[in-house]
Amino acid sequence: MSLYDSSFPQMARMLGQVLVWLDKAEAYAQQKKFDPEVLLNVRLAPDQWPFRRQIQTLVHWPVRLGALLTGEEPSARESPEEETIAELRARIGKTLEQVKALKPEQLKGAEERTIPLFFLPGKGMNATDFVFQFALPNFYFHATTAYSILRHNGIDVGKADFIGSLDLRDM
């Protein structure tokens, strides 16, 4: 399985599920009569990022990974402190467009790249190791944390909302 196949379709799928979570969060807030924007500042622990930052980071990973694997310079991370749910939705939509525009052939030879680690100057990782040991685990860490923040705050999201629909076949 290629680096493209093992990462970008899965990331796009998860980003689509985040939109489902946001729908449920807004519906819950409306039912309970509170401003859903309150949820953006909720965190699981004092030393963890709030929901907004979890989503911002989650949305940044596919774009960053695409740039790194195609040999481009990743764009600077955008993290407005007051980004609204509507703005997060728009950012998710934009990221989904970028991910869907990325074609497998653009990653040809990516397995041979060395990806520099922005947090360890002078160090890098083989692209395959970077994808499987760092990029995907980080992406899913932030997805799981965002999901858990909503779940912890009473939003009715379950495993099916995290995983999404399955491509089933008759046997």
Side-chain angles (χ1 to χ4, degrees), residues 62-81:
V63 176
R64 180 175 186 74
L65 184 60
L68 290 168
L69 292 179
T70 57
E72 298 174 17
E73 184 67 30
S75 60
R77 182 182 157 154
E78 299 175 26
S79 297
E81 288 189 31

Side-chain angles (χ1 to χ4, degrees), residues 33-104:
K33 300 187 183 345
F34 71 87
D35 182 359
E37 301 292 321
V38 169
L39 295 168
L40 294 174
N41 293 314
V42 175
R43 56 184 84 217
L44 289 177
D47 65 343
Q48 279 192 319
W49 289 340
F51 181 74
R52 175 188 289 116
R53 185 80 185 265
Q54 299 293 342
I55 298 299
Q56 289 170 334
T57 303
L58 179 66
V59 172
H60 183 69
W61 264 108
V63 176
R64 180 175 186 74
L65 184 60
L68 290 168
L69 292 179
T70 57
E72 298 174 17
E73 184 67 30
S75 60
R77 182 182 157 154
E78 299 175 26
S79 297
E81 288 189 31
E82 297 303 318
E83 195 165 30
T84 66
I85 291 175
E87 291 167 334
L88 286 172
R89 281 182 182 281
R91 188 192 295 221
I92 291 167
K94 181 179 174 186
T95 299
L96 281 169
E97 286 175 15
Q98 289 176 289
V99 169
K100 290 175 182 176
L102 187 64
K103 303 296 178 214

